[in-house]
Structures are given as C-alpha cells and as structure tokens.
Amino acid sequence: MTTNLLEQFSNALAERATAVRGAVAAIRLSETRHLTGTLWQPDVAVASEQSLPRRDEFELVVAGGDVVKAKLAGRDPGTNVAALRLERPIEVQKPTHADAKAGALALAFGADGAGGVRARLGIVNTAGPEWASSAGGRIDRYVVLDLELARAEEGGPVLDAAGRRLGISTFGPRGRVLVIPSATVERVLPALLKDGRIARGWLGVGLQPVAVPDALQEQAGQESGAMVMSLAADGPAAKAGLVAGDIVLTVNGTPARSLRRIGAALAAQGIGRKAELRLIRGGMVLSLEATIEARPAA
C-alpha cells in the first residue's frame, strides 16, 4: 500500500470517528469511572446490561461535554441490552445497519468520558448464525471481533468500514469481544421502552448435566441427562412435582443435556403453555407436565 493510499485510509477512519461522535455517550458510574452508551434514538441510549449498575437514574456525557440526565427504561439480561430514556432529546444521525461478515474490518468506538470518542480497529473474527445466551435470550448473529476493548468502552457502537452500524460491543466469556447485533437491539428495544423487561418462559429449576445410570440407559433411550439441583419455591417445576435428585431426560422432546437449548426453547415458547418433562426417579422413567411461567424480574 502506497503512502498516499495509507493516508487516505487513515483519513477515512478518522472521518468515521468524527461522524459517530454524536452517537456515543459516557454513562457516569462515579467521579472517575464510566461506561459507554450508544444513542440509538434522539431520547434513548442503549448499553451493555451486564455492566450497567442497578440503579434508576444516570448522567450521560454526550458530544462536546454536554451532560444529560437519563432514567432506566428497561433491561434484558437475556440479550444483554439496557435502555435509558434521556430527559431531553439529542440530535442523532440515524445510521444504516449492516450484517457482519467474517474477515471484514470493524471499528469499535467508546466514550472517553469528556464528550469525545475512543476508537479501536480490528476485523470480524466470527460471523455465525443466531444463538441463545445462557439467560435465554435470542441473539440474531454470533459476532466475535478480533480486537481489544477497555471496560469503559463496552456498549459503544460497532461500525463496518463503510460506516454502517453492526451493533454495540460487549464482553463475552474469557474477555472475548462480541457484538450485540443491531437487529437484536431493534427487536427488543420497543418492549423494553414499553414494559421495562422482556418476559420469557421459565420452569424455575437448576440443572446439572449427569450420566444416566448404565442399568437405565436402554429404558431412557439416552446416556445423559440433567439432575435437578435446585427448585424455585412455587416455581413451575416445583408445582409440577419435580424434586431434587430427579434426572430430567427431555423437555418437550429436547434432550436435557443441552441446557442452553432447553433455556432457549422455554424462552421462545408462549407463557402458559405446557412443557412435558421426561425424567428418571427412583429407578423408573416417568413423565410430568409443567406450565411455563414468566421468569420473575431480576
């Protein structure tokens, strides 16, 4: 790449940082600490739910150092999206959205705490299909970035090289930098603004993968299941008669050894619907029926 092309490339990246500055806000956590939020609508900012303190009021430092107060509108651990309602609207240029592609350049932006931005350059390491989080949320794409991110920058916008928004940044297991896709934010945001949460199906049971005893594997039709380790008092599973020590084989036909798949299936099903639990108790295989309820608010 010639010097002239390098300069053009550098200038193009700087232009992206200038353009996105109005969409980045610092969410003050203390006098010396902040988190990054992304201005999604003129009066709404979104942030990474897992890092947002559990309080109702916040101060946001926006472009130029202006301070705007905001109130928590809703939060969803399932998709790791939190929504803040600003006390007054901010002029926000609504970007176009894009789908992540493996190998493409990615620009991750965070707030510097004083009305400016921090920028990171990397590539999209993985752009996989939709997946289910451990909290039962459906994420439209599994997007991993090959770049480093400071904790204060989590929740900022992620753009492609053309300046289109891929979503917002967050931290996954082992410090991996993930993207919550724009499609996911757009899908959950209306419900968060209206109801403050996303209602998802739940059985109220804690499970641990275990091997099915050898003598019961033929009758069970599988070699592994999930033992009931805990039950929520008055939760759906407890009401159905499930007890600690039961080995759950399937939930509505889905093998219980895949705990994430079970959580995703329950979350997606309508609250009030029935769930058939096939299990082992006292050396026998039997079935129970539970009614799916909404997971209690955190």
Side-chain angles (χ1 to χ4, degrees):
M1 186 179 290
T2 67
T3 302
N4 187 44
L5 287 176
L6 282 172
E7 185 175 356
Q8 291 178 17
F9 179 62
S10 178
N11 290 339
L13 296 181
E15 288 173 4
R16 297 284 177 259
T18 299
V20 80
R21 185 181 177 194
V24 176
I27 304 171
R28 284 180 174 169
L29 305 182
S30 68
E31 289 295 325
T32 58
R33 296 175 57 246
H34 71 272
L35 185 68
T36 296
T38 299
L39 294 169
W40 206 263
Q41 299 174 10
D43 63 341
V44 174
V46 296
S48 175
E49 191 276 340
Q50 67 185 6
S51 297
L52 192 70
R54 294 200 167 274
R55 59 181 192 239
D56 295 328
E57 296 185 350
F58 296 88
E59 283 188 344
L60 276 60
V61 183
V62 298
D66 193 17
V67 178
V68 181
K69 292 185 178 181
K71 292 185 177 181
L72 179 70
R75 56 195 312 156
D76 177 36
T79 55
N80 196 24
V81 176
L84 303 176
R85 179 81 73 175
L86 280 59
E87 67 173 3
R88 57 180 172 84
I90 300 293
E91 185 177 348
V92 178
Q93 183 178 3
K94 189 170 180 63
T96 57
H97 298 301
D99 206 11
K101 297 178 181 179
L105 287 176
L107 297 159
F109 296 95
D112 67 0
V117 299
R118 297 174 179 172
R120 304 275 182 171
L121 175 64
I123 64 170
V124 178
N125 174 272
T126 305
E130 74 172 39
W131 59 288
S133 73
S134 58
R138 178 171 65 87
I139 317 298
D140 291 73
R141 294 291 305 277
Y142 180 63
V143 181
V144 183
L145 301 183
D146 186 10
L147 54 77
E148 293 185 355
L149 199 69
R151 286 289 170 183
E153 297 161 6
E154 181 185 13
V158 180
L159 311 181
D160 67 8
R164 297 171 298 187
R165 188 157 59 194
L166 302 179
I168 65 173
S169 63
T170 191
F171 286 106
R174 297 176 295 280
R176 184 179 299 142
V177 179
L178 308 180
V179 175
I180 303 171
S182 294
T184 302
V185 178
E186 292 281 0
R187 176 165 48 82
V188 303
L189 189 56
L192 291 181
L193 296 175
K194 179 178 179 290
D195 302 321
R197 62 188 294 258
I198 305 294
R200 291 192 175 87
W202 173 77
L203 286 178
V205 58
L207 300 172
Q208 175 68 38
V210 296
V212 172
D214 293 342
L216 294 172
Q217 286 184 8
E218 183 175 352
Q219 184 181 1
Q222 59 193 73
E223 298 179 353
S224 61
M227 181 175 288
V228 175
M229 306 301 292
S230 63
L231 291 159
D234 297 323
K239 292 176 184 177
L242 211 65
V243 298
D246 285 346
I247 298 177
V248 179
L249 298 171
T250 61
V251 179
N252 283 340
T254 300
R257 62 179 177 271
S258 179
L259 301 184
R260 184 163 293 191
R261 285 181 58 195
I262 291 292
L266 292 173
Q269 293 186 41
I271 294 166
R273 295 184 64 180
K274 302 296 183 180
E276 182 184 358
L277 308 175
R278 186 166 171 265
L279 55 98
I280 295 173
R281 177 186 295 169
M284 298 179 60
V285 176
L286 54 94
S287 294
L288 296 176
E289 190 176 73
T291 301
I292 300 172
E293 298 180 8
R295 181 186 293 271

